[in-house]
Amino acid sequence: MHPNDSADSQENLLLTQLQALLDDETECLKSGQMEELQRIATEKMRCFADLQSRMVPARPSTKNSSDDAHLRNLLNEIMRKNQLNGQIISALERFNQGAWEIFFGAQPATYSDLGTAKSTAERHLIGSA
């Protein structure tokens, strides 16, 4: 067994684990189980750190093109899932911020710093999503 084969299998295992964590994160976001997100985020960061520490720059490839394609597809899928989860989290954050402003009166000021009235469009919260 070539030394790179062991490193490759460990990286592949970490990538598969990361993909499963992203799937769990998506399910938590869809179902509203926000208490699980902290645990998943911690595990994701650990996986990312492990992957980064194992990456060797400009390592010569000993794998065949089928393994390379599988790895590229796995990485692309992980990036897609992570981006989607980030978009969901951003949307939830905007929704929660808007709800907070409506319920607790932290709406943008009616008047500008110069003392002039702002237009209705600048003060309008509902429908801004």
Side-chain angles (χ1 to χ4, degrees):
M1 178 188 271
H2 195 277
N4 284 344
D5 292 344
S6 175
D8 289 345
S9 66
Q10 290 174 348
E11 289 172 4
N12 198 13
L13 179 65
L14 283 169
L15 288 171
T16 303
Q17 193 175 22
L18 185 56
Q19 186 177 32
L21 285 168
L22 287 165
D23 289 337
D24 291 346
E25 183 179 59
T26 302
E27 286 307 310
C28 285
L29 290 168
K30 286 179 179 178
S31 64
Q33 297 174 342
M34 298 307 172
E35 64 278 354
E36 276 297 300
L37 283 178
Q38 183 61 44
R39 180 193 63 78
I40 292 170
T42 302
E43 283 297 308
K44 268 181 25 178
M45 295 308 292
R46 185 193 56 75
C47 277
F48 278 127
D50 286 351
L51 276 168
Q52 189 170 24
S53 70
R54 293 178 193 280
M55 294 293 191
V56 177
R59 183 173 67 200
S61 179
T62 59
K63 300 181 283 186
N64 63 36
S65 62
S66 144
D67 289 340
D68 287 343
H70 171 72
L71 183 60
R72 272 193 310 276
N73 289 338
L74 186 57
L75 286 170
N76 286 334
E77 184 67 16
I78 287 169
M79 288 178 10
R80 185 193 65 75
K81 286 180 182 180
N82 197 47
Q83 183 179 29
L84 176 64
N85 289 352
Q87 290 171 343
I88 293 170
I89 290 169
S90 292
L92 288 170
E93 183 179 38
R94 286 189 309 272
F95 173 79
N96 288 336
Q97 182 64 37
W100 181 269
E101 289 173 358
I102 289 171
F103 290 129
F104 297 107
Q107 297 178 356
T110 303
Y111 298 99
S112 71
D113 292 339
L114 299 174
T116 58
K118 290 186 176 181
S119 70
T120 305
E122 291 175 322
R123 295 183 293 131
H124 191 64
L125 286 176
I126 298 177
S128 64

